Amino acid sequence: MCDFQRIKVGVSACLIGQEVRYDGSHKRDGYITGTLGQYFDFLPLCPEVGAGLGIPRPTIRLIRRDSQIRAVNVKDASVDHTQALAHYLDKVVAQVSEVCGYILKKSSPSCGMERVKVYDPLKPNLPPERDGVGLFAQALRARFPLLPMEEEGRLCDPVLRENFIGRVFVYHRWRDLLATGLTPASLVDFHADHKYMLMAHDQDIARQLGQKVAQAGAVTDLAALGEEYIILLMAALSKRVTRGRHANVLMHLMGYLKPHIDALDREELLDTIHQYRQGYVPLVVPVTLLKHHFRRHPQPYIGRQHYLSPHPGELMLRNQL
């Protein structure tokens, strides 16, 4: 469970230091290049350059015109780049089809995922609404609805960061599964491997997926079942996990150890899980203690659970949860 392949991830090119911004500068992000770069192979793209806007170029912004969102030059709103930006994805769709995640530049009129400024030319004295989505980001979500996406600014939030990276690894494993050929047995195994991870995110969806997997051997269209499965799975994994849900999963895992550890070890585990639930220690503490006991008392079913090692420990994602 601790062997991780490098994964291809799309990224706004300015975030890895490429000088592609409107003024020829970049927005290199040290966490993306220095930390995530050890595990991800990046596909850097700049929709504005790719759409032919050039370097340097006039700045653009989103405006609301006739109930539509348009991308226009700031100083000359008659210069409209909406179609070029919206259709840039068509030029690179083959490359983007290979990625298992995408990191976008926040607030960008092309790449911003949310809260992008939208101006109203009819109300020049009012501040812009922050309800827009970058045109490339919007096209990306429409074409690849299951693709894990995040903005570099939101990666500063420990919960969002761990959630995004965890989904990237799950989506990568799913793509590998499809590449080797989906079978009823492989779908059952995939679901079993992710049972406790899924339980932490959404127990209701976990039950629904369990019911779907139970049909795997009887359905005539396994590919369709697989599509239904991954849609529900990625929807569940996009939800934030609370300390309470994590603690619930930790207690379930501890149940496998009760016949094998003594009263003092049980008390220590319970106390550590309680401390985590109360916010006194991060998630890595009870997880590390559980893994210690499972090394001493191996349980084959637990040994395959990605919940215990969902991503490389060196990323230290659970040290702040």
Side-chain angles (χ1 to χ4, degrees), residues 58-249:
T59 54
I60 65 173
R61 66 182 182 181
L62 298 183
I63 66 169
R64 186 171 280 106
R65 178 189 291 163
D66 299 329
S67 301
Q68 295 183 332
I69 302 299
R70 314 294 299 181
V72 302
N73 281 8
V74 169
K75 293 184 177 180
D76 184 358
S78 67
V79 181
D80 192 314
H81 301 291
T82 306
Q83 293 302 314
L85 288 172
H87 294 300
Y88 169 67
L89 181 58
D90 294 334
K91 300 179 181 180
V92 294
V93 67
Q95 295 169 275
V96 176
S97 296
E98 297 178 355
V99 306
C100 293
Y102 213 109
I103 304 173
L104 294 155
K105 180 70 188 79
K106 69 173 182 178
S107 303
S108 164
S110 56
C111 292
M113 278 178 55
E114 62 176 22
R115 295 181 52 78
V116 178
K117 292 179 180 179
V118 179
Y119 295 81
D120 189 337
L122 300 179
K123 302 174 182 177
N125 296 323
L126 293 180
E129 298 287 340
R130 280 192 169 273
D131 59 355
V133 177
L135 297 186
F136 174 72
Q138 189 174 49
L140 190 66
R141 173 59 70 213
R143 185 73 67 92
F144 300 100
L146 300 180
L147 184 67
M149 294 169 52
E150 196 50 272
E151 294 181 335
E152 97 284 4
R154 284 164 50 97
L155 291 179
C156 295
D157 182 311
V159 176
L160 294 178
R161 181 169 62 239
E162 197 271 345
N163 181 285
F164 168 70
I165 294 172
R167 284 184 289 132
V168 169
F169 277 90
V170 172
Y171 194 55
H172 176 68
R173 289 191 287 269
W174 178 257
R175 296 278 296 270
D176 278 352
L177 176 62
L178 295 183
T180 58
L182 184 66
T183 66
S186 66
L187 180 59
V188 169
D189 285 344
F190 184 90
H191 181 70
D193 294 347
H194 293 86
K195 175 182 176 179
Y196 286 105
M197 180 186 293
L198 182 55
M199 180 185 294
H201 285 269
D202 192 308
Q203 291 194 34
D204 290 336
I205 293 182
R207 283 191 287 269
Q208 292 179 48
L209 290 177
Q211 293 168 0
K212 286 187 178 297
V213 168
Q215 306 168 19
V219 297
T220 56
D221 191 342
L222 184 61
L225 178 64
E227 185 67 18
E228 293 174 8
Y229 178 88
I230 193 60
I231 289 172
L232 271 176
L233 177 65
M234 297 307 292
L237 296 182
S238 67
K239 299 181 179 182
R240 288 183 178 227
V241 183
T242 64
R243 283 181 176 265
R245 290 204 201 101
H246 271 307
N248 180 54
V249 170

